[in-house]
Amino acid sequence: RAHLVESGGGSVQGGGSLKVSCVVSEYDYSEYCVGWFRQVPGKTREGVARIYIGRGSTLYADSVKGRFTISQDNLNNAVNLQMNNLKPEDTALYVCAAAPYCYSESSIDNGDFSYWGRGTQVTVSS
């Protein structure tokens, strides 16, 4: 059973940058999928990026493409999400999740992920 812990959230002005990290432990597979999602109260949780650990393939939601970059940090067993040119609409609780496989090449779906962290808050002011 995977254990995921997020860190790195905070507050920033619009146009600024933040990096959030997800440390994955107790999940000893050479290949698996890690996704970043964001949750705003009253709205459906949105998948923003995912990476296939061991293969390196990435996928982004259209809303963040060109601004966010997901990457693997092998040294720390972490997956980072670098967020640039942040907008107020990026304000959310950012949550990472893991799955045995990246099931889709075209979407990042909540139902594909089995293990979830608790999230880290990102707030972007205008």
Side-chain angles (χ1 to χ4, degrees):
R1 179 182 172 85
H3 183 60
L4 297 92
V5 179
E6 302 92 340
S7 63
S11 297
V12 67
Q13 282 195 320
S17 298
L18 278 175
K19 184 176 79 172
V20 291
S21 296
C22 172
V23 174
V24 182
S25 59
E26 301 174 33
Y27 206 52
D28 295 327
Y29 297 97
S30 58
E31 294 187 356
Y32 57 95
C33 195
V34 175
W36 276 101
F37 295 79
R38 60 189 181 188
Q39 179 75 60
V40 175
K43 293 190 176 180
T44 304
R45 185 160 51 194
E46 176 191 14
V48 297
R50 69 98 172 122
I51 185 167
Y52 212 145
I53 302 297
R55 300 189 186 184
S57 68
T58 58
L59 182 66
Y60 296 91
D62 287 343
S63 57
V64 306
K65 206 171 288 183
R67 301 188 297 122
F68 289 15
T69 302
I70 190 170
S71 63
Q72 180 181 346
D73 177 355
N74 291 328
L75 188 64
N76 297 300
N77 255 20
V79 172
N80 299 320
L81 184 68
Q82 177 67 44
M83 304 181 290
N84 298 328
N85 191 21
L86 282 159
K87 304 175 183 180
E89 52 263 42
D90 294 318
T91 295
L93 181 70
Y94 282 73
V95 185
C96 65
Y101 309 100
C102 289
Y103 293 98
S104 174
E105 292 298 322
S106 60
S107 62
I108 307 162
D109 300 316
N110 291 285
D112 290 343
F113 291 82
S114 308
Y115 306 106
W116 294 83
R118 294 190 174 184
T120 184
Q121 179 68 33
V122 171
T123 302
V124 185
S125 58
S126 56

